[in-house]
Amino acid sequence: MTDTIAAVEAILPVSRETRERLERYVALLRKWQPAQNLVSPNTLGQIWTRHVADCAQLVAMFPDTRKWLDLGSGAGLPGLITGILLADQEGAVVHCVEANQRKCAFLRTVIRETGAKAVVHEGRIESVLKQWSEPVERISARALASLTALLDLSAPVLAAGATGTFHKGEDFEGELAEASKSWSLDLIRHKSMIDDRSSIVEICRAERRTV
């Protein structure tokens, strides 16, 4: 199947303006890729399916969420895709946390050229979240860390009432078993709309176990 924006439109209707913003994002990613290695080179031929649509499913699954926190944003997957899809929504914002200076430059360029509802917080996740005070409904992260590490990183914001919404692959059961040793969790596992082997894991409650 040809890799086009149709992969996104199959799970989420988009306006002409949103379509143009997404196309601009893909063009910028291709332009910056040789110097920044933003995504795995062997996925470049499947950008729309493997990356854009895979990230767009968060907005398809949780259409009422307006305030997001994206950890380890990198190429803006899923943070910038979420921000682009919410560009016309009043009060929407995606906080993108990224430590790499050059990737932050890419994120800011995309925001400027697409009008994505997103802001960049440059710094290590632990440092940025230590003094976090912005309202957040959901936390996203994709291809960043194990479930245990994600819970450790996002603990301050989860404790304040946010819901974790993490992309996970076929090794999720093992990650959950490991995380459950140190965390008591209430979660919902949503089957990925893009890849039958993957899931979107919604963390509704996370409490650290005491020894």
Side-chain angles (χ1 to χ4, degrees), residues 7 11 25 31 39 48 56 62 74 79 83 86 100 112-113 132 138 142 155 177 204 209 211:
I11 61 170
Y25 167 81
K31 178 181 177 180
V39 298
W48 287 105
F62 311 108
L86 297 179
N100 184 289
R112 184 173 64 251
E113 296 198 20
W132 191 262
R138 291 186 184 274
R142 178 177 182 261
C204 306
R209 296 186 187 277
V211 178

PDB file of all heavy atoms in Angstrom, residues 7 11 25 31 39 48 56 62 74 79 83 86 100 112-113 132 138 142 155 177 204 209 211:
ATOM      1  N   ALA A   7      -3.315   7.316   5.350  1.00  0.00           N
ATOM      2  CA  ALA A   7      -3.152   6.504   6.558  1.00  0.00           C
ATOM      3  C   ALA A   7      -3.702   7.231   7.778  1.00  0.00           C
ATOM      4  O   ALA A   7      -4.263   6.623   8.693  1.00  0.00           O
ATOM      5  CB  ALA A   7      -1.677   6.162   6.768  1.00  0.00           C
ATOM      6  N   ILE A  11      -8.122   6.952  10.122  1.00  0.00           N
ATOM      7  CA  ILE A  11      -8.478   6.866  11.542  1.00  0.00           C
ATOM      8  C   ILE A  11      -9.014   8.182  12.092  1.00  0.00           C
ATOM      9  O   ILE A  11      -9.614   8.211  13.163  1.00  0.00           O
ATOM     10  CB  ILE A  11      -7.276   6.403  12.397  1.00  0.00           C
ATOM     11  CG1 ILE A  11      -6.108   7.399  12.295  1.00  0.00           C
ATOM     12  CG2 ILE A  11      -6.835   5.008  12.000  1.00  0.00           C
ATOM     13  CD1 ILE A  11      -4.995   7.128  13.287  1.00  0.00           C
ATOM     14  N   TYR A  25       4.947  19.316   7.977  1.00  0.00           N
ATOM     15  CA  TYR A  25       5.744  18.607   8.979  1.00  0.00           C
ATOM     16  C   TYR A  25       6.596  17.523   8.322  1.00  0.00           C
ATOM     17  O   TYR A  25       7.802  17.422   8.581  1.00  0.00           O
ATOM     18  CB  TYR A  25       4.838  17.971  10.048  1.00  0.00           C
ATOM     19  CG  TYR A  25       5.590  16.985  10.905  1.00  0.00           C
ATOM     20  CD1 TYR A  25       6.379  17.403  11.962  1.00  0.00           C
ATOM     21  CD2 TYR A  25       5.556  15.617  10.605  1.00  0.00           C
ATOM     22  CE1 TYR A  25       7.122  16.499  12.713  1.00  0.00           C
ATOM     23  CE2 TYR A  25       6.291  14.705  11.349  1.00  0.00           C
ATOM     24  CZ  TYR A  25       7.074  15.157  12.406  1.00  0.00           C
ATOM     25  OH  TYR A  25       7.807  14.256  13.133  1.00  0.00           O
ATOM     26  N   LYS A  31      13.673  17.064   5.328  1.00  0.00           N
ATOM     27  CA  LYS A  31      14.752  18.030   5.118  1.00  0.00           C
ATOM     28  C   LYS A  31      15.800  17.941   6.224  1.00  0.00           C
ATOM     29  O   LYS A  31      17.002  18.004   5.971  1.00  0.00           O
ATOM     30  CB  LYS A  31      14.164  19.444   5.059  1.00  0.00           C
ATOM     31  CG  LYS A  31      15.196  20.543   4.885  1.00  0.00           C
ATOM     32  CD  LYS A  31      14.528  21.916   4.861  1.00  0.00           C
ATOM     33  CE  LYS A  31      15.558  23.031   4.751  1.00  0.00           C
ATOM     34  NZ  LYS A  31      14.908  24.381   4.739  1.00  0.00           N
ATOM     35  N   VAL A  39      14.394  10.124  12.714  1.00  0.00           N
ATOM     36  CA  VAL A  39      13.705   8.833  12.791  1.00  0.00           C
ATOM     37  C   VAL A  39      14.621   7.766  12.200  1.00  0.00           C
ATOM     38  O   VAL A  39      15.592   8.076  11.510  1.00  0.00           O
ATOM     39  CB  VAL A  39      12.353   8.846  12.030  1.00  0.00           C
ATOM     40  CG1 VAL A  39      11.403   9.866  12.635  1.00  0.00           C
ATOM     41  CG2 VAL A  39      12.557   9.115  10.538  1.00  0.00           C
ATOM     42  N   TRP A  48       4.195   8.241   6.852  1.00  0.00           N
ATOM     43  CA  TRP A  48       2.777   8.503   7.154  1.00  0.00           C
ATOM     44  C   TRP A  48       2.164   7.406   8.013  1.00  0.00           C
ATOM     45  O   TRP A  48       1.440   7.689   8.963  1.00  0.00           O
ATOM     46  CB  TRP A  48       1.984   8.677   5.869  1.00  0.00           C
ATOM     47  CG  TRP A  48       2.254   9.972   5.174  1.00  0.00           C
ATOM     48  CD1 TRP A  48       2.995  10.172   4.039  1.00  0.00           C
ATOM     49  CD2 TRP A  48       1.803  11.270   5.581  1.00  0.00           C
ATOM     50  NE1 TRP A  48       3.034  11.504   3.722  1.00  0.00           N
ATOM     51  CE2 TRP A  48       2.316  12.206   4.643  1.00  0.00           C
ATOM     52  CE3 TRP A  48       1.029  11.745   6.642  1.00  0.00           C
ATOM     53  CZ2 TRP A  48       2.063  13.572   4.740  1.00  0.00           C
ATOM     54  CZ3 TRP A  48       0.782  13.107   6.739  1.00  0.00           C
ATOM     55  CH2 TRP A  48       1.292  14.005   5.799  1.00  0.00           C
ATOM     56  N   ALA A  56      -1.133  10.090  15.409  1.00  0.00           N
ATOM     57  CA  ALA A  56      -2.456  10.718  15.291  1.00  0.00           C
ATOM     58  C   ALA A  56      -3.537   9.935  16.030  1.00  0.00           C
ATOM     59  O   ALA A  56      -4.568  10.505  16.426  1.00  0.00           O
ATOM     60  CB  ALA A  56      -2.832  10.865  13.819  1.00  0.00           C
ATOM     61  N   PHE A  62      -8.573  10.025  22.123  1.00  0.00           N
ATOM     62  CA  PHE A  62      -8.877  10.953  23.223  1.00  0.00           C
ATOM     63  C   PHE A  62      -9.159  12.352  22.664  1.00  0.00           C
ATOM     64  O   PHE A  62      -8.398  13.297  22.913  1.00  0.00           O
ATOM     65  CB  PHE A  62      -7.714  10.982  24.213  1.00  0.00           C
ATOM     66  CG  PHE A  62      -7.244   9.609  24.625  1.00  0.00           C
ATOM     67  CD1 PHE A  62      -6.023   9.112  24.173  1.00  0.00           C
ATOM     68  CD2 PHE A  62      -8.031   8.800  25.432  1.00  0.00           C
ATOM     69  CE1 PHE A  62      -5.592   7.844  24.536  1.00  0.00           C
ATOM     70  CE2 PHE A  62      -7.608   7.522  25.802  1.00  0.00           C
ATOM     71  CZ  PHE A  62      -6.391   7.044  25.356  1.00  0.00           C
ATOM     72  N   GLY A  74      11.843  14.575  20.818  1.00  0.00           N
ATOM     73  CA  GLY A  74      12.670  14.193  19.677  1.00  0.00           C
ATOM     74  C   GLY A  74      12.225  14.827  18.376  1.00  0.00           C
ATOM     75  O   GLY A  74      12.328  16.030  18.166  1.00  0.00           O
ATOM     76  N   GLY A  79       4.274  14.413  20.050  1.00  0.00           N
ATOM     77  CA  GLY A  79       3.910  15.758  20.501  1.00  0.00           C
ATOM     78  C   GLY A  79       3.499  16.732  19.415  1.00  0.00           C
ATOM     79  O   GLY A  79       2.446  17.380  19.512  1.00  0.00           O
ATOM     80  N   GLY A  83      -0.074  18.435  18.453  1.00  0.00           N
ATOM     81  CA  GLY A  83      -0.195  19.885  18.383  1.00  0.00           C
ATOM     82  C   GLY A  83      -0.731  20.378  17.057  1.00  0.00           C
ATOM     83  O   GLY A  83      -1.496  21.350  16.998  1.00  0.00           O
ATOM     84  N   LEU A  86      -4.456  19.649  16.848  1.00  0.00           N
ATOM     85  CA  LEU A  86      -5.229  20.516  17.752  1.00  0.00           C
ATOM     86  C   LEU A  86      -5.038  22.000  17.445  1.00  0.00           C
ATOM     87  O   LEU A  86      -5.464  22.857  18.220  1.00  0.00           O
ATOM     88  CB  LEU A  86      -4.820  20.248  19.205  1.00  0.00           C
ATOM     89  CG  LEU A  86      -5.089  18.845  19.758  1.00  0.00           C
ATOM     90  CD1 LEU A  86      -4.603  18.736  21.196  1.00  0.00           C
ATOM     91  CD2 LEU A  86      -6.572  18.486  19.670  1.00  0.00           C
ATOM     92  N   ASN A 100      17.828  17.466  23.813  1.00  0.00           N
ATOM     93  CA  ASN A 100      18.765  17.681  22.717  1.00  0.00           C
ATOM     94  C   ASN A 100      18.530  19.044  22.060  1.00  0.00           C
ATOM     95  O   ASN A 100      17.454  19.321  21.542  1.00  0.00           O
ATOM     96  CB  ASN A 100      18.622  16.555  21.685  1.00  0.00           C
ATOM     97  CG  ASN A 100      19.632  16.647  20.573  1.00  0.00           C
ATOM     98  OD1 ASN A 100      19.555  17.520  19.722  1.00  0.00           O
ATOM     99  ND2 ASN A 100      20.579  15.726  20.562  1.00  0.00           N
ATOM    100  N   ARG A 112       6.724  26.902  14.373  1.00  0.00           N
ATOM    101  CA  ARG A 112       6.647  28.198  13.693  1.00  0.00           C
ATOM    102  C   ARG A 112       6.022  28.070  12.294  1.00  0.00           C
ATOM    103  O   ARG A 112       5.209  28.900  11.875  1.00  0.00           O
ATOM    104  CB  ARG A 112       8.050  28.798  13.584  1.00  0.00           C
ATOM    105  CG  ARG A 112       8.081  30.190  12.968  1.00  0.00           C
ATOM    106  CD  ARG A 112       9.467  30.808  13.028  1.00  0.00           C
ATOM    107  NE  ARG A 112      10.440  30.062  12.233  1.00  0.00           N
ATOM    108  CZ  ARG A 112      11.424  29.322  12.733  1.00  0.00           C
ATOM    109  NH1 ARG A 112      11.559  29.212  14.047  1.00  0.00           N
ATOM    110  NH2 ARG A 112      12.280  28.700  11.952  1.00  0.00           N
ATOM    111  N   GLU A 113       6.379  27.019  11.569  1.00  0.00           N
ATOM    112  CA  GLU A 113       5.940  26.895  10.184  1.00  0.00           C
ATOM    113  C   GLU A 113       4.593  26.202  10.010  1.00  0.00           C
ATOM    114  O   GLU A 113       4.005  26.280   8.934  1.00  0.00           O
ATOM    115  CB  GLU A 113       7.016  26.173   9.367  1.00  0.00           C
ATOM    116  CG  GLU A 113       8.322  26.957   9.289  1.00  0.00           C
ATOM    117  CD  GLU A 113       9.227  26.502   8.171  1.00  0.00           C
ATOM    118  OE1 GLU A 113       8.742  25.852   7.224  1.00  0.00           O
ATOM    119  OE2 GLU A 113      10.434  26.816   8.241  1.00  0.00           O
ATOM    120  N   TRP A 132       7.419  21.501  37.731  1.00  0.00           N
ATOM    121  CA  TRP A 132       6.306  21.646  36.795  1.00  0.00           C
ATOM    122  C   TRP A 132       5.075  22.231  37.481  1.00  0.00           C
ATOM    123  O   TRP A 132       4.706  21.797  38.573  1.00  0.00           O
ATOM    124  CB  TRP A 132       5.950  20.295  36.182  1.00  0.00           C
ATOM    125  CG  TRP A 132       5.000  20.444  35.032  1.00  0.00           C
ATOM    126  CD1 TRP A 132       3.649  20.292  35.051  1.00  0.00           C
ATOM    127  CD2 TRP A 132       5.342  20.811  33.695  1.00  0.00           C
ATOM    128  NE1 TRP A 132       3.126  20.545  33.808  1.00  0.00           N
ATOM    129  CE2 TRP A 132       4.144  20.866  32.956  1.00  0.00           C
ATOM    130  CE3 TRP A 132       6.535  21.102  33.062  1.00  0.00           C
ATOM    131  CZ2 TRP A 132       4.111  21.193  31.600  1.00  0.00           C
ATOM    132  CZ3 TRP A 132       6.517  21.430  31.712  1.00  0.00           C
ATOM    133  CH2 TRP A 132       5.308  21.470  31.007  1.00  0.00           C
ATOM    134  N   ARG A 138      -3.096  14.860  29.960  1.00  0.00           N
ATOM    135  CA  ARG A 138      -2.492  13.596  29.564  1.00  0.00           C
ATOM    136  C   ARG A 138      -1.002  13.760  29.274  1.00  0.00           C
ATOM    137  O   ARG A 138      -0.567  14.778  28.762  1.00  0.00           O
ATOM    138  CB  ARG A 138      -3.175  13.018  28.311  1.00  0.00           C
ATOM    139  CG  ARG A 138      -4.592  12.536  28.565  1.00  0.00           C
ATOM    140  CD  ARG A 138      -5.173  11.832  27.338  1.00  0.00           C
ATOM    141  NE  ARG A 138      -6.555  11.469  27.587  1.00  0.00           N
ATOM    142  CZ  ARG A 138      -6.938  10.352  28.184  1.00  0.00           C
ATOM    143  NH1 ARG A 138      -6.029   9.470  28.565  1.00  0.00           N
ATOM    144  NH2 ARG A 138      -8.226  10.108  28.383  1.00  0.00           N
ATOM    145  N   ARG A 142       6.647   8.142  23.345  1.00  0.00           N
ATOM    146  CA  ARG A 142       6.722   7.091  22.316  1.00  0.00           C
ATOM    147  C   ARG A 142       8.185   6.742  22.086  1.00  0.00           C
ATOM    148  O   ARG A 142       8.999   7.615  21.827  1.00  0.00           O
ATOM    149  CB  ARG A 142       6.074   7.592  21.027  1.00  0.00           C
ATOM    150  CG  ARG A 142       6.102   6.644  19.828  1.00  0.00           C
ATOM    151  CD  ARG A 142       5.347   7.277  18.663  1.00  0.00           C
ATOM    152  NE  ARG A 142       5.280   6.423  17.504  1.00  0.00           N
ATOM    153  CZ  ARG A 142       6.087   6.520  16.446  1.00  0.00           C
ATOM    154  NH1 ARG A 142       7.059   7.440  16.444  1.00  0.00           N
ATOM    155  NH2 ARG A 142       5.948   5.717  15.410  1.00  0.00           N
ATOM    156  N   ALA A 155       6.117  10.654  37.358  1.00  0.00           N
ATOM    157  CA  ALA A 155       5.476  10.550  38.670  1.00  0.00           C
ATOM    158  C   ALA A 155       4.921  11.872  39.214  1.00  0.00           C
ATOM    159  O   ALA A 155       3.788  11.914  39.695  1.00  0.00           O
ATOM    160  CB  ALA A 155       6.435   9.917  39.676  1.00  0.00           C
ATOM    161  N   ALA A 177       4.978  -6.487  33.908  1.00  0.00           N
ATOM    162  CA  ALA A 177       5.369  -7.354  35.026  1.00  0.00           C
ATOM    163  C   ALA A 177       6.488  -6.708  35.829  1.00  0.00           C
ATOM    164  O   ALA A 177       6.476  -6.729  37.067  1.00  0.00           O
ATOM    165  CB  ALA A 177       5.806  -8.721  34.493  1.00  0.00           C
ATOM    166  N   CYS A 204      -4.290   5.142  34.449  1.00  0.00           N
ATOM    167  CA  CYS A 204      -5.310   5.915  35.156  1.00  0.00           C
ATOM    168  C   CYS A 204      -4.909   6.216  36.604  1.00  0.00           C
ATOM    169  O   CYS A 204      -5.324   7.234  37.166  1.00  0.00           O
ATOM    170  CB  CYS A 204      -6.637   5.157  35.137  1.00  0.00           C
ATOM    171  SG  CYS A 204      -7.181   4.697  33.471  1.00  0.00           S
ATOM    172  N   ARG A 209       4.806   1.435  45.198  1.00  0.00           N
ATOM    173  CA  ARG A 209       4.698   0.451  46.281  1.00  0.00           C
ATOM    174  C   ARG A 209       5.716   0.754  47.364  1.00  0.00           C
ATOM    175  O   ARG A 209       6.844   1.179  47.082  1.00  0.00           O
ATOM    176  CB  ARG A 209       4.915  -0.960  45.758  1.00  0.00           C
ATOM    177  CG  ARG A 209       3.851  -1.435  44.763  1.00  0.00           C
ATOM    178  CD  ARG A 209       4.074  -2.897  44.420  1.00  0.00           C
ATOM    179  NE  ARG A 209       3.183  -3.347  43.365  1.00  0.00           N
ATOM    180  CZ  ARG A 209       1.922  -3.754  43.555  1.00  0.00           C
ATOM    181  NH1 ARG A 209       1.415  -3.733  44.793  1.00  0.00           N
ATOM    182  NH2 ARG A 209       1.197  -4.153  42.543  1.00  0.00           N
ATOM    183  N   VAL A 211       8.059  -0.729  50.433  1.00  0.00           N
ATOM    184  CA  VAL A 211       8.695  -2.001  50.791  1.00  0.00           C
ATOM    185  C   VAL A 211       8.230  -2.467  52.150  1.00  0.00           C
ATOM    186  O   VAL A 211       8.183  -1.673  53.093  1.00  0.00           O
ATOM    187  CB  VAL A 211      10.240  -1.834  50.785  1.00  0.00           C
ATOM    188  CG1 VAL A 211      10.899  -3.147  51.202  1.00  0.00           C
ATOM    189  CG2 VAL A 211      10.705  -1.384  49.429  1.00  0.00           C
TER     190      VAL A 211
END
